[in-house]
Amino acid sequence: MDKGTKIRTIVLAVALLNQFLTAFGFSTIPGTSEEQYLFISTVFTAVTSITAWFKNNYVTAKGVKQKEVLQKHGLTKVK
């Protein structure tokens, strides 16, 4: 996995954990009302999920090979 994929995966895991805690009534941001926290948590999870979905993540062995072929032929950014 490349660095970007790892970062997006970790941030998505944090967002999903936060959403899980919110569903059970735990607020991890001190000083916010329940409505504010729910809004912030939902927006954070939505943005993170969309970003992780939108990016072309090469996670599987087949995906890594595809990325190598694309890079070899100059069809993607080299990272």
Side-chain angles (χ1 to χ4, degrees), residues 24-55:
F24 286 98
F26 296 102
S27 176
T28 56
I29 303 175
T32 57
S33 69
E34 186 175 335
E35 293 82 20
Q36 289 173 329
Y37 179 74
L38 183 58
F39 176 76
I40 292 168
S41 178
T42 302
V43 169
F44 176 62
T45 302
V47 169
T48 304
S49 299
I50 291 168
T51 302
W53 166 77
F54 183 74
K55 292 291 185 177

